[in-house]
Amino acid sequence: MESVEIGVGPSTASALAGEEKKQELAMKEEEDEKIFGKFVPGPLLPLKEHIEKDKEDESLRRWKEKLLGCLESDLNDQMEPEVKFHSIGIISSDGEVNTPFPMSEDLNKLALFTLREGSSYQLKLTFSVLHNIVSGLVYTNTVWKGGLEVDRSSGMLGTFAPRKEPYAHTLEEETTPSGVLARGVYTAKLKFKDDDKRCHMELDYSFEIRKFD
């Protein structure tokens, strides 16, 4: 019997690639749920109680002083922690560019940054923690092109105590796709939540991938 080769046209290949991407994203969601979704946080206490608790334990007292710093003058009975974001930056082979918050309306309408195709980059955030310890701060970054979800990344930043100096945190390194179809403008949504499912920031932004000579 003669073998017959069945060709796969461009539209079929595109559909298959889209289906594979959907399955990949679904597996990623399931994995994130296993990592982040089953932890049950303890009761929320005012920061003052955190400091005064177990004061007789010298080693624990010193650890708390190192973690919390000298914030006695800022103590209050506010229970809810607040994460205040100051800027977002992009680190790539072209250097580092930072954009302060809040962004102007004009800037919101433009691509926040432009990247080379096939290049590595990292997002960098600066933020302050106020009033109480924020526990289990995690992020998700979802990217769309032409209305189709093309990428989703997530990760754990950690637990942060209030302090006077801002924190600076760099997210995991990502690599832009390459090729004619990869070039163009992308939209994205960056979210930060803690163990108690409080959303501390939800940022909609856009960026462009281009070919540089």
Side-chain angles (χ1 to χ4, degrees):
M1 180 180 294
E2 294 183 359
S3 61
V4 179
E5 294 185 359
I6 301 177
V8 179
S11 59
T12 305
S14 177
L16 290 173
E19 188 61 32
E20 287 179 0
K21 192 65 180 179
K22 286 181 181 179
Q23 292 177 4
E24 181 183 334
L25 291 171
M27 292 176 64
K28 178 68 174 174
E29 285 184 354
E30 187 176 338
E31 181 181 342
D32 289 346
E33 184 64 27
K34 289 180 181 179
I35 297 174
F36 305 129
K38 293 186 178 180
F39 177 75
V40 179
L44 187 64
L45 299 174
L47 184 60
K48 191 173 183 178
E49 286 190 32
H50 279 294
I51 294 177
E52 294 178 349
K53 192 177 180 181
D54 303 317
K55 292 184 73 172
E56 66 280 358
D57 189 324
E58 182 67 16
S59 61
L60 186 58
R61 183 185 65 80
R62 290 181 179 178
W63 177 80
K64 287 181 179 180
E65 285 181 356
K66 183 178 180 181
L67 175 66
L68 300 174
C70 300
L71 291 171
E72 288 82 358
S73 61
D74 299 327
L75 293 180
N76 54 48
D77 293 325
Q78 181 164 333
M79 297 275 286
E80 299 285 330
E82 179 185 351
V83 181
K84 183 178 181 181
F85 288 86
H86 303 299
S87 68
I88 182 172
I90 183 75
I91 303 172
S92 67
S93 59
D94 293 319
E96 180 176 340
V97 178
N98 291 286
T99 302
F101 294 132
M103 292 190 294
S104 65
E105 292 185 8
D106 292 338
L107 190 57
N108 274 328
K109 297 175 183 178
L110 303 174
L112 190 59
F113 50 85
T114 300
L115 295 169
R116 298 172 184 268
E117 60 176 345
S119 65
S120 299
Y121 71 97
Q122 290 176 284
L123 291 177
K124 178 181 177 181
L125 281 300
T126 59
F127 59 91
S128 296
V129 176
L130 307 173
H131 311 309
N132 209 334
I133 297 170
V134 60
S135 177
L137 190 65
V138 300
Y139 75 90
T140 57
N141 190 41
T142 309
V143 181
W144 294 267
K145 188 173 190 290
L148 176 67
E149 184 177 327
V150 295
D151 187 57
R152 181 180 299 173
S153 58
S154 58
M156 172 71 73
L157 274 68
T159 296
F160 301 89
R163 71 180 191 185
K164 294 180 179 179
E165 300 80 15
Y167 291 95
H169 196 96
T170 304
L171 305 189
E172 293 183 9
E173 186 177 86
E174 303 280 351
T175 302
T176 61
S178 58
V180 176
L181 296 179
R183 299 168 199 155
V185 176
Y186 293 73
T187 57
K189 183 183 291 289
L190 183 61
K191 286 184 180 181
F192 290 88
K193 291 185 178 181
D194 63 20
D195 279 342
D196 292 310
K197 308 303 180 185
R198 282 182 292 262
C199 184
H200 292 281
M201 185 176 74
E202 186 170 308
L203 173 66
D204 293 306
Y205 68 98
S206 62
F207 63 94
E208 185 178 5
I209 294 178
R210 294 173 56 186
K211 179 181 180 180
F212 288 80
D213 296 328

